């Protein structure tokens, strides 16, 4: 009896390991999908931040062997206090991109290959970033004693590069991130997230449901270089001090970085994502931030 049970477990494991799902969504011209996202962000010493927004994807035509896609995130709303700098920084990415039309190219399977209107986007992002910083300096007068406007603006804009915007749609959990992949249980992939951190992800497939677990995949030297480059970009006046003491700071745990992500996708009959549940746990330099999101196709 025990032998029979053992064999059944092996057979079940074998069947699960061969579960396969090819992600090729319907991409006819005019195909439109609208998703509603509700997020909650929890950070030490802060009240939970709740936000919601809509994202719309429209296939506008063919381009060579692939397709053209327009994406816009809109109706972003957050209960983060306007005079709370940490809370505003946590929601800055969504606020910066709100209302901006992004034009993209996909291959025949729906995998993103390029961002096509970055020059136009950058001009609008720069203006939005400047407006956000002006409002913060108005709401938090003591901010002018801590840093210059240009320095804060650069922190707001530092992740809005062409590469990072494309990465956030292609590699970070989104309704497009599975496109073009043939998923099997146990499949692993490496990628760089929108913060510039190297990650490793594993997939689990159960019918039309897919779960992915991701964690940081960086050596000590990788992390050291990442920290130095980040400080050079966002707080250059501190760069020399960090370089001189980085080994001691990392060994003490003060510069510890740990990132984990779990995502569950439900896939529709047309190959588009029906819903997503996302949980991110980031512990960066002693600051633990947890974000959960529920994303649903209308």
């Amino acid at each position: 009896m025990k032998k029979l049970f053992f064999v059944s477990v092996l057979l079940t494991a074998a069947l699960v390991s061969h579960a396969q799902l090819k992600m090729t969504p319907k991409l006819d011209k005019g195909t439109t999908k609208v998703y509603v996202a509700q997020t909650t962000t929890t950070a030490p010493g802060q009240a939970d931040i709740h936000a919601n927004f809509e994202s719309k994807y429209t296939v506008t035509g063919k381009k060579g062997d692939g397709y053209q896609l327009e994406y816009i995130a809109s109706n972003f709303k957050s209960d983060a206090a306007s005079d709370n700098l940490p809370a505003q920084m946590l929601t800055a990415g969504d606020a910066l991109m709100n209302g901006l039309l992004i034009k993209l190219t996909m291959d025949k399977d729906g995998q993103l290959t390029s961002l096509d209107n970055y020059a136009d986007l950058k001009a609008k992002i720069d203006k939005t970033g400047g407006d956000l910083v002006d409002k913060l300096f108005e709401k938090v007068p003591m901010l002018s004693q801590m840093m210059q406007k240009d320095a804060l603006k650069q922190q707001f804009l530092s992740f809005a590069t062409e590469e990072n915007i494309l990465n956030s749609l292609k590699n970070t959990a989104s309704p497009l991130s599975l496109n073009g992949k043939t998923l099997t249980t146990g499949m692993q992939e490496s990628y760089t997230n929108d913060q510039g951190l190297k990650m490793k992800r594993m997939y689990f497939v159960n019918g039309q449901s897919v779960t992915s677990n991701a964690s940081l995949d960086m050596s000590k030297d990788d992390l050291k270089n990442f920290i130095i480059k980040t400080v050079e970009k966002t707080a250059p006046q501190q760069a020399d001090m960090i370089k001189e003491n980085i080994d001691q700071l990392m060994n003490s745990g003060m510069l510890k970085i740990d990132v984990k992500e779990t995502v569950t996708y439900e896939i529709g009959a047309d190959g588009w994502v029906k819903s997503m549940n996302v949980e991110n746990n980031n512990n960066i330099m002693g600051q633990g931030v947890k974000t959960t999101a529920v994303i649903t196709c209308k």
Side-chain angles (χ1 to χ4, degrees):
M1 196 70 177
K2 290 182 178 179
K3 183 177 180 180
L4 183 60
F5 174 75
F6 179 69
V7 171
S8 68
V9 169
L10 287 178
L11 287 172
T12 301
L15 288 170
V16 170
S17 69
H18 284 86
Q20 188 177 93
L21 184 63
K22 176 64 183 291
M23 289 298 299
T24 306
K26 179 182 178 182
L27 295 171
D28 295 336
K29 182 178 178 180
T31 298
T32 299
K33 296 289 181 177
V34 179
Y35 293 86
V36 177
Q38 298 177 315
T39 70
T40 302
T41 302
T42 303
Q46 300 286 325
D48 285 358
I49 302 169
H50 303 94
N52 56 72
F53 60 91
E54 290 188 357
S55 53
K56 181 179 180 181
Y57 303 85
T58 304
V59 180
T60 57
K62 288 186 68 67
K63 186 175 182 180
D65 292 334
Y67 298 87
Q68 294 172 307
L69 180 77
E70 290 187 352
Y71 162 76
I72 186 168
S74 60
N75 298 323
F76 173 73
K77 296 178 182 178
S78 165
D79 61 6
S82 60
D83 60 350
N84 185 326
L85 178 59
Q88 289 296 318
M89 291 296 288
L90 287 170
T91 59
D94 291 324
L96 280 174
M97 302 308 296
N98 186 52
L100 298 184
L101 179 66
I102 300 176
K103 296 183 179 182
L104 302 149
T105 295
M106 304 180 293
D107 66 16
K108 61 184 178 60
D109 293 322
Q111 191 167 54
L112 295 177
T113 57
S114 67
L115 193 166
D116 302 330
N117 65 330
Y118 182 68
D120 181 49
L121 282 175
K122 187 176 186 308
K124 294 176 180 178
I125 291 169
D126 285 350
K127 182 182 184 307
T128 303
D131 292 343
L132 287 172
V133 170
D134 287 342
K135 289 179 182 178
L136 271 177
F137 270 76
E138 180 184 339
K139 293 286 186 180
V140 190
M142 65 178 294
L143 196 55
S144 60
Q145 302 173 24
M146 301 166 58
M147 63 179 69
Q148 295 181 340
K149 274 190 179 182
D150 285 345
L152 182 57
K153 181 180 176 181
Q154 286 307 310
Q155 288 192 43
F156 270 80
L157 301 178
S158 61
F159 296 112
T161 65
E162 181 174 3
E163 181 181 10
N164 285 340
I165 293 172
L166 189 60
N167 266 344
S168 70
L169 294 169
K170 183 178 179 179
N171 291 327
T172 303
S174 84
L176 304 179
S177 58
L178 299 181
N179 287 2
K181 298 175 182 178
T182 300
L183 302 170
T184 58
T185 293
M187 170 181 161
Q188 296 186 49
E189 65 182 6
S190 297
Y191 68 100
T192 301
N193 70 8
D194 54 357
Q195 299 175 67
L197 294 166
K198 297 177 184 176
M199 305 284 291
K200 180 169 283 187
R201 178 185 281 141
M202 179 179 286
Y203 291 100
F204 302 87
V205 180
N206 182 14
Q208 294 294 107
S209 178
V210 178
T211 299
S212 67
N213 293 325
S215 58
L216 194 66
D217 186 30
M218 298 175 72
S219 67
K220 184 176 180 179
D221 285 341
D222 288 336
L223 288 171
K224 188 184 299 186
N225 291 332
F226 173 81
I227 292 167
I228 291 173
K229 287 180 180 179
T230 300
V231 173
E232 286 176 339
K233 183 165 56 176
T234 59
Q237 69 278 9
Q238 302 291 329
D240 288 340
M241 184 274 289
I242 293 293
K243 289 177 184 178
E244 292 173 5
N245 299 283
I246 190 164
D247 287 315
Q248 180 180 350
L249 291 169
M250 290 183 73
N251 291 336
S252 70
M254 291 181 65
L255 296 183
K256 180 180 178 181
I257 298 179
D258 188 30
V259 180
K260 297 185 185 302
E261 176 195 82
T262 299
V263 188
T264 299
Y265 304 82
E266 296 296 332
I267 314 301
D270 61 358
W272 282 85
V273 170
K274 288 197 303 184
S275 65
M276 298 169 55
N277 286 273
V278 185
E279 181 176 314
N280 280 295
N281 287 282
N282 295 348
N283 190 321
I284 298 179
M285 300 182 192
Q287 298 297 311
V289 178
K290 177 181 177 180
T291 302
T292 59
V294 178
I295 303 170
T296 307
C297 189
K298 292 177 69 173

